[in-house]
Amino acid sequence: MMKQTLTAMAVALAALTAGHATTAHADGKLIVSSPQDPGSWDPIDTFLVNWASLATNVFEGLTYRGPDMKLVPGLATSWEVLDDGLRIRFALREGVTFHNGEDFNAEAVKFTFERLLGDEGAKGPQQANYTAIEYVEIIDDYTVDFHLSQPDAVLLTKLAGYGAMIVPPKYITEMGDDVFNTKPVGTGPFKMVSYEPKIGVQLEANADYWDGAPQLAELEYRFITEPATALAELQSGGVDLVIPPTIPVGMIPTIEADDNLELVTTAGPTVTALRFDTSRGITADADVRKALIMAVDRETIVNSVLGGQASVIASFQGERSFGHDPALKPLPFDPEGAKALLEKAGVAPGATVEINTRGNDATFNEVTQAVAAYLGMVGVTATIKPYETNVLLNDIIPQGKTGEMFQQSWGGWTFDFDNTAYAMYHTGQKWNPYDSDPQLDEMLEAQRPLTDQAERERLLQEIATYAADRALEMPLYNLNAIYATNKRVQNFEPAPDNRLKLNKVSVQ
Amino acid sequence: MSAFLKSRYFSLEFIMGLGLTLGITFCVLFSSWLFPGAGEIDLTARLIAPFQQPAHPFGTDPLGRDVMARVFAGGWISLQVGFVSVVGSVLIGVAVGLVAGYYRGIWDVVVMRSADIQLALPFILLAITIIAIVGGSLTNTILLLIVSQWVQYARLVRAQVLALREREFVLAAQAMGVKSRNIILQHLLPNLLGPVIVLMTLNVANNILLESSLTFLGLGVDPTIPSWGGMLADGRTYLQTAWWVSVFPGLAILLTVLGLNLLGDWLRDSLDPTGRTER
Amino acid sequence: MAGFLLKRLAQAVFVVMVVTLIVSVAVRMTGDPAMMIAQGATDITEADLERIREGLGLNEPFLSQYLATLSGLFTWDFGRSFLGGTPVSTLIGNALPATLLLAFTSLLVSIVISIPLGIRAAIRRGKWEDQLIRILSLVGLSFPNFWLATMLVLLFSITLQWLPPSGMNGIASFIMPAVTMGIILTATNVRLVRTSMLEVMQSQYIMVARAKGLSERTVLYKHALRNCAIPLITFLGLQFGGLLGGIVVVERVFNWPGMGSLAFDAVAGRDYPVLQSVIMILSTLIVLVNLLVDIAYGLIDPRIRTE
């Protein structure tokens, strides 16, 4: 025990005397600031967006979805949906090797999914997303069949990320899961060189990458939580790229004012709404809920508080979501109409609502205060009670202990409204502590097994309209994913879902 | 009065300390009267620089609220936390300390071991854990401070009582058959107030800083209620484009805490020359 | 003396056990880590959660979990982080030296500032310089340290680009965090140096040294200062504990890879093993330092032992 501490002390002392090297990047090295260390790099262990913002460079799935949101071949060159969606046949890419030299083939695919769906996967959160897969059958070295217990319309997208990343069988069997957690091996454009927990990760280019060697020789990630600290590092040249979710909207003017920096934003998956307790209080009445929505000038909030880095939404999804209906318009800002509705519903001026928010969300903190001010103008007194994020998510909301309104920021990386709507509206779901609507349940269940995507989209749009009609939440906005880079970074394309693949990026 | 001005107690420290403390307390207490209706959200008047508009001498914040009004109103939280937590700790601590010092026995053990535990717990780490459980609120912050600080007073008072109870005037009173309760209240209590007052003053200052740290870490109170720590935390985002949002509340904390520290330092010289209240 | 030592040691063990108990109980009230881990999954069921809890060892009786934590102090095995499964000992092995180094550097900064100021104040006792020094050192004590830190970063990292704004990487990276922490201690230390200098300077042997015609400088820095050393060192021991407790905020602002940052992330992630180990180890360190100070005192001044 003492020895370990002493060694670490020595390392720290060495660091003390090593001197500071902010501006002296080697040629072709990019340093990224990421807000969180996922702790393990094993695909089946994680649920964190910031796992994906690094691991997308190390691992690949059978399918791939880049910044343009189109699903394209990844480690599979083509696929065929058979047997009414109960079987999918993949042709695998030949000549691909893992970073340790191991061959990528049908065996690796089978191993990956047996691991994910077996005991090892059971310890992590990813297994539940892939339960539609019954088993993987090897047809030949470069062909596999996925047998499903029920059709899963989103499965091909889900194969592009997280738990479905293909892992090397021999490496894991020989080295064990512990080694794999900290020194992951995949087929992606960058190899992991070293990982220091809570500090950072060093990667180097995989010269043999099947899609061509990356432009960068080296890649480093540093874990920096505080936005102001990350920005200070960016400004002083300590990092080249700050990825979301780090930079609050309020820091955008600072970035724009700095000649060395560039702001890059794109519509992200995260939508934010204030949901209602539909079971009691004044918000049990749909007309009151509509009045509260109409009382708030969402357009002005987006343009002033959010500096235009968001778009107002009509239902609980953004424009890129599958199930988005351009015909559905947000309720207008109409304080007079709101007052009339409130009066009709018998809500006297001075009625109160409590809004629960995440305490550490600087941007939303300002938004809620503006919302409270607007509600005040139609005679509804709003108090704000922030909770620590995890308390809100794991205790207050699931157990139905919120005030009349509560913050929900939600975004499935699959950009499929089913992911949102089912979790938010279906009876008995963790995120739906208050409402139970048999008709809505039925609509939600009906679209799930469909393989006809056009029909499924139509049903999802119907669900969105139905929920908006009942005013189940106050839809606020779809916030952009905010990246900031040093101008020496070239060819950077912002990933809406934070799954960054940096093989085409270079530095000057 | 003129004798006081010439005495050794009169000093720059004293003038500055008293001036700052009284001045800021006055502004904070009468803030709603000095700035009626100010501090309301106005999205058309966001981030106005200071000294530009007479209505907003310290400028406005990202939601268009007047910074000056919020700085003075925000002091209310800090002063409440500072004073209430200290008064609470003193009430408990002094009572327990008196009993422990006078009667010894089990109370003595309780005080000494609690003191050991309190000294060993890293306060902010414990605070973030507890706040994660109970949620952030003014009451919770105050309770947390009382729970972790009463023992400082108990220990101080106990040590004093141990010394005093052997003194002649106490022994004499005991010999005359005065009730223990009266000995404690009439003979012991007045004699140990000096160091307690010094510790109180320094702790008010310290607790104002702790409250702002907790709020800064995002464990504070309702964001619609202005507080210095909260304003500083929010203002950090705008530091480079709108310095006034965080610089004014920062100065407010600095000056308030400085005033109390100066006063405490001066009180220590006057009331507790042997330095028993060294923190 | 042996009795005194044993008694103090027993008390220290008791304190560590109680503190660990308090922390273990408190940590378990912060929420369900299984919920936390399952957050990203859709359609999670109670059975899934139960499976994750079982995997984390949360279904063991509390007493055995508590004893396992406590025994980590001897075996240096604190279990694994709930987030990613890294052994806690690895995390602490990295974070503890970082925190200790910062704490030592902060003490050093404070001493370097305090001694000359304290001596100057003692020589100029009652003069305006004395008052100015005391007031200035109190200004240092009154800064909200996270605010001071932010201001320093703005000036030295962003505007002047002299110092790195975060991380632990080379001597330069120690300057701002150590100054931020050290300045808080300066007020107390200046006062301490001043008081002890005043006492020492009235002692006979300084008078003798002066009478021998030694230079004032030699008298002050060689003879007088040596006599302030004991109270100063004792006091630094006590400050060390306070320093470890208060370091969280500064670590946060400077992204310092220390115990505070570790604990802060652990609270957010409901990472019981990490959180309770961090607090337990810091508490144990504080208790040990206080014990040493106590023993030192006991050796110097036997009267303390009876109390």
Side-chain angles (χ1 to χ4, degrees):
Chain A
M1 131 190 177
M2 238 11 243
K3 197 171 162 227
Q4 202 171 8
T5 315
L6 284 176
T7 321
M9 276 275 208
V11 170
L13 272 170
L16 182 72
T17 49
H20 170 57
T22 44
T23 42
H25 299 154
D27 264 339
K29 178 167 185 179
L30 179 80
I31 306 183
V32 181
S33 161
S34 168
Q36 196 175 18
D37 178 2
S40 163
W41 299 103
D42 188 334
I44 61 179
D45 284 347
T46 198
F47 59 92
L48 294 168
V49 142
N50 294 113
W51 173 86
S53 58
L54 187 152
T56 308
N57 291 295
V58 176
F59 294 112
E60 292 175 294
L62 294 177
T63 58
Y64 174 68
R65 193 187 64 183
D68 60 0
M69 294 283 110
K70 292 206 173 69
L71 203 63
V72 295
L75 287 175
T77 50
S78 65
W79 53 86
E80 237 181 315
V81 180
L82 306 162
D83 302 350
D84 291 330
L86 286 175
R87 182 160 67 95
I88 310 178
R89 169 162 294 189
F90 291 93
L92 304 181
R93 197 174 290 280
E94 296 182 31
V96 175
T97 53
F98 287 97
H99 300 149
N100 63 336
E102 217 175 313
D103 279 334
F104 162 76
N105 52 27
E107 197 55 53
V109 176
K110 187 175 159 73
F111 175 84
T112 297
F113 286 92
E114 277 176 359
R115 185 167 174 268
L116 170 65
L117 299 167
D119 290 342
E120 185 59 30
K123 286 186 239 155
Q126 283 296 326
Q127 193 184 62
N129 293 335
Y130 298 91
T131 42
I133 305 170
E134 211 163 8
Y135 64 98
V136 175
E137 185 189 357
I138 298 181
I139 305 300
D140 61 44
D141 258 8
Y142 292 99
T143 313
V144 290
D145 275 1
F146 277 52
H147 293 266
L148 312 188
S149 54
Q150 67 200 52
D152 182 345
V154 199
L155 184 65
L156 283 169
T157 309
K158 289 196 284 201
L159 291 181
Y162 295 90
M165 299 288 94
I166 305 300
V167 298
K170 221 185 283 167
Y171 183 77
I172 293 178
T173 321
E174 280 168 16
M175 311 297 275
D177 286 311
D178 281 350
V179 174
F180 187 63
N181 280 350
T182 51
K183 229 180 164 275
V185 163
T187 57
F190 288 92
K191 303 181 202 181
M192 194 119 146
V193 178
S194 67
Y195 162 53
E196 276 182 281
K198 307 282 173 193
I199 298 174
V201 176
Q202 305 278 347
L203 302 112
E204 63 178 17
N206 172 12
D208 304 325
Y209 185 53
W210 60 266
D211 197 19
Q215 303 292 308
L216 295 163
E218 283 178 84
L219 184 59
E220 179 182 341
Y221 279 70
R222 288 179 58 189
F223 303 120
I224 303 176
T225 314
E226 281 287 314
T229 311
L231 183 60
E233 283 288 359
L234 185 68
Q235 288 182 299
S236 62
V239 302
D240 304 307
L241 169 63
V242 180
I243 62 171
T246 306
I247 297 174
V249 170
M251 277 183 183
I252 289 178
T254 312
I255 296 164
E256 286 172 338
D258 193 319
D259 289 339
N260 295 320
L261 306 185
E262 195 168 341
L263 182 79
V264 190
T265 63
T266 179
T270 307
V271 281
T272 301
L274 282 168
R275 299 182 64 207
F276 294 113
D277 176 351
T278 52
S279 67
R280 66 192 142 85
I282 59 170
T283 50
D285 183 339
D287 279 345
V288 174
R289 298 199 293 265
K290 276 189 185 147
L292 296 182
I293 299 172
M294 284 155 64
V296 177
D297 187 352
R298 287 140 283 151
E299 202 70 53
T300 300
I301 290 179
V302 163
N303 290 330
S304 62
V305 181
L306 300 177
Q309 291 293 341
S311 42
V312 176
I313 51 172
S315 66
F316 205 3
Q317 60 185 330
E319 276 172 36
R320 280 182 164 148
S321 166
F322 184 79
H324 170 74
D325 184 356
L328 186 64
K329 296 284 176 235
L331 282 177
F333 168 54
D334 178 7
E336 289 314 311
K339 275 186 202 160
L341 270 179
L342 286 173
E343 201 182 329
K344 212 177 92 196
V347 175
T352 58
V353 290
E354 181 187 298
I355 306 177
N356 298 134
T357 60
R358 301 181 184 181
N360 60 353
D361 186 338
T363 303
F364 195 70
N365 186 355
E366 286 176 11
V367 171
T368 331
Q369 295 186 52
V371 168
Y374 277 115
L375 292 181
M377 286 180 217
V378 297
V380 176
T381 311
T383 53
I384 301 172
K385 182 164 187 198
Y387 283 97
E388 203 259 334
T389 304
N390 291 309
V391 172
L392 183 69
L393 296 184
N394 297 328
D395 184 26
I396 304 298
I397 295 175
Q399 303 202 23
K401 294 194 285 195
T402 69
E404 283 80 0
M405 297 165 82
F406 56 96
Q407 175 189 7
Q408 187 109 45
S409 296
W410 183 266
W413 69 277
T414 53
F415 285 85
D416 192 298
F417 189 52
D418 167 64
N419 170 294
T420 308
Y422 203 91
M424 299 296 146
Y425 305 137
H426 196 280
T427 305
Q429 283 287 312
K430 174 186 169 191
W431 300 116
N432 181 19
Y434 299 120
D435 203 60
S436 173
D437 181 338
Q439 193 185 337
L440 194 51
D441 287 352
E442 206 174 295
M443 292 163 82
L444 286 164
E445 284 154 19
Q447 54 83 28
R448 280 212 151 175
L450 295 181
T451 44
D452 177 352
Q453 292 292 13
E455 175 65 5
R456 204 169 70 83
E457 182 167 25
R458 197 185 61 75
L459 288 184
L460 284 174
Q461 288 174 346
E462 259 176 32
I463 291 168
T465 311
Y466 184 86
D469 202 47
R470 282 196 57 209
L472 290 176
E473 70 270 312
M474 176 189 291
L476 291 171
Y477 51 80
N478 176 199
L479 189 62
N480 285 351
I482 300 170
Y483 292 85
T485 72
N486 190 308
K487 281 202 174 132
R488 72 189 202 98
V489 178
Q490 308 290 313
N491 287 333
F492 173 72
E493 230 186 314
D497 54 1
N498 220 339
R499 293 168 60 251
L500 282 184
K501 194 166 163 187
L502 297 166
N503 55 330
K504 306 280 187 222
V505 174
S506 61
V507 287
Q508 276 179 340
Chain B
M1 191 63 202
S2 68
F4 175 74
L5 286 177
K6 284 186 193 126
S7 79
R8 69 189 176 92
Y9 294 128
F10 181 78
S11 71
L12 189 60
E13 253 188 325
F14 172 70
I15 308 172
M16 278 180 68
L18 196 69
L20 283 172
T21 310
L22 286 183
I24 291 173
T25 311
F26 176 83
C27 288
V28 168
L29 287 180
F30 295 97
S31 68
S32 58
W33 177 74
L34 287 169
F35 308 97
E40 277 172 16
I41 289 179
D42 177 2
L43 293 182
T44 59
R46 305 174 69 232
L47 299 172
I48 295 172
F51 320 121
Q52 301 292 314
Q53 293 187 2
H56 305 298
F58 286 3
T60 61
D61 76 355
L63 292 172
R65 293 172 295 200
D66 182 54
V67 171
M68 187 188 251
R70 274 173 67 79
V71 165
F72 287 125
W76 186 224
I77 294 272
S78 296
L79 293 184
Q80 252 178 303
V81 170
F83 285 101
V84 177
S85 62
V86 163
V87 169
S89 312
V90 165
L91 290 180
I92 302 173
V94 170
V96 176
L98 279 171
V99 173
Y102 193 78
Y103 296 106
R104 312 288 310 251
I106 181 73
W107 284 106
D108 208 21
V109 178
V110 169
V111 169
M112 290 317 284
R113 293 295 80 77
S114 308
D116 289 347
I117 292 166
Q118 187 259 334
L119 270 177
L121 277 170
F123 173 76
I124 295 214
L125 286 185
L126 191 71
I128 57 179
T129 312
I130 305 271
I131 298 273
I133 305 169
V134 296
S137 75
L138 193 60
T139 324
N140 290 345
T141 308
I142 291 174
L143 285 177
L144 203 59
L145 286 167
I146 292 179
V147 168
S148 72
Q149 283 179 350
W150 67 270
V151 74
Q152 288 182 14
Y153 299 92
R155 205 164 60 134
L156 179 69
V157 167
R158 172 189 168 276
Q160 297 261 76
V161 172
L162 283 184
L164 285 173
R165 52 180 265 158
E166 307 301 330
R167 295 267 292 277
E168 277 149 31
F169 67 96
V170 176
L171 296 176
Q174 276 172 336
M176 281 159 60
V178 180
K179 281 193 204 143
S180 294
R181 205 184 66 160
N182 290 344
I183 294 179
I184 293 176
L185 291 180
Q186 287 167 9
H187 297 281
L188 295 180
L189 194 57
N191 277 296
L192 45 80
L193 277 181
V196 169
I197 289 173
V198 174
L199 187 60
M200 280 173 75
T201 317
L202 296 175
N203 267 346
V204 172
N206 193 30
N207 291 359
I208 288 177
L209 283 181
L210 282 174
E211 186 274 331
S212 69
S213 297
L214 287 179
T215 314
F216 174 77
L217 289 171
L219 308 165
V221 293
D222 180 343
T224 47
I225 304 173
S227 77
W228 289 339
M231 292 170 77
L232 273 187
D234 297 347
R236 240 188 127 196
T237 306
Y238 299 90
L239 191 58
Q240 291 183 52
T241 45
W243 54 269
W244 57 93
V245 181
S246 56
V247 165
F248 289 114
L251 280 177
I253 301 183
L254 176 63
L255 294 178
T256 310
V257 175
L258 179 62
L260 286 161
N261 275 332
L262 287 169
L263 214 53
D265 211 48
W266 175 81
L267 278 171
R268 179 156 52 191
D269 283 348
S270 322
L271 299 176
D272 181 30
T274 53
R276 278 162 297 200
T277 44
E278 199 71 75
R279 280 182 306 171
Chain C
M1 188 64 203
F4 164 76
L5 278 180
L6 270 180
K7 199 176 148 202
R8 274 280 178 271
L9 200 62
Q11 283 165 359
V13 171
F14 170 78
V15 168
V16 169
M17 285 177 66
V18 173
V19 165
T20 310
L21 183 67
I22 294 175
V23 171
S24 302
V25 171
V27 161
R28 276 167 180 73
M29 288 166 69
T30 57
D32 185 355
M35 280 277 221
M36 178 69 215
I37 288 170
Q39 224 170 71
T42 42
D43 306 337
I44 204 93
T45 62
E46 185 51 39
D48 293 324
L49 292 175
E50 195 51 34
R51 213 185 50 225
I52 294 174
R53 277 185 214 119
E54 184 69 40
L56 296 175
L58 286 170
N59 291 340
E60 304 277 311
F62 172 73
L63 190 66
S64 71
Q65 292 185 46
Y66 165 66
L67 290 177
T69 309
L70 206 56
S71 68
L73 282 176
F74 301 98
T75 59
W76 202 246
D77 173 10
F78 303 100
R80 284 161 176 273
S81 160
F82 284 175
L83 300 181
T86 317
V88 179
S89 54
T90 309
L91 296 173
I92 287 176
N94 292 333
L96 187 58
T99 292
L100 290 181
L101 273 175
L102 181 55
F104 282 128
T105 321
S106 307
L107 283 180
L108 203 69
V109 167
S110 147
I111 293 170
V112 167
I113 303 176
S114 311
I115 289 181
L117 286 182
I119 292 177
R120 192 79 195 158
I123 302 171
R124 296 288 166 151
R125 179 186 188 185
K127 305 263 166 51
W128 68 269
E129 257 184 287
D130 179 21
Q131 293 216 345
L132 187 70
I133 287 172
R134 287 176 62 172
I135 291 173
L136 277 182
S137 64
L138 284 174
V139 171
L141 177 68
S142 308
F143 262 104
N145 52 12
F146 52 92
W147 188 57
L148 177 65
T150 314
M151 293 298 172
L152 290 178
V153 169
L154 185 61
L155 180 61
F156 292 105
S157 299
I158 296 171
T159 310
L160 299 172
Q161 306 229 342
W162 288 351
L163 298 171
S166 78
M168 184 174 78
N169 183 14
I171 288 177
S173 68
F174 276 75
I175 297 175
M176 287 193 288
V179 166
T180 312
M181 295 294 295
I183 228 166
I184 301 168
L185 306 176
T186 302
T188 324
N189 289 342
V190 164
R191 184 187 183 83
L192 198 74
V193 172
R194 179 181 175 275
T195 318
S196 5
M197 282 303 275
L198 286 176
E199 267 171 35
V200 173
M201 284 195 323
Q202 275 151 17
S203 70
Q204 280 203 319
Y205 103 102
I206 291 293
M207 308 236 177
V208 172
R210 279 217 178 99
K212 281 195 329 206
L214 294 176
S215 80
E216 192 62 20
R217 203 183 162 79
T218 318
V219 171
L220 286 175
Y221 281 87
K222 257 186 112 173
H223 296 271
L225 191 58
R226 193 179 293 163
N227 280 278
C228 310
I230 292 171
L232 193 61
I233 288 169
T234 330
F235 216 78
L236 289 178
L238 291 175
Q239 288 178 344
F240 188 71
L243 211 55
L244 290 182
I247 220 159
V248 189
V249 187
V250 172
E251 284 192 359
R252 184 94 181 142
V253 176
F254 289 106
N255 206 43
W256 196 259
M259 300 288 267
S261 302
L262 204 55
F264 205 84
D265 290 348
V267 173
R270 303 292 174 269
D271 198 344
Y272 300 173
V274 173
L275 184 57
Q276 65 196 14
S277 308
V278 166
I279 301 186
M280 178 174 72
I281 289 170
L282 288 183
S283 299
T284 309
L285 270 176
I286 297 172
V287 168
L288 280 178
V289 171
N290 289 346
L291 184 69
L292 288 177
V293 170
D294 257 11
I295 292 173
Y297 254 155
L299 289 174
I300 298 164
D301 183 355
R303 279 172 303 171
I304 309 278
R305 285 184 222 158
T306 54
E307 194 258 313

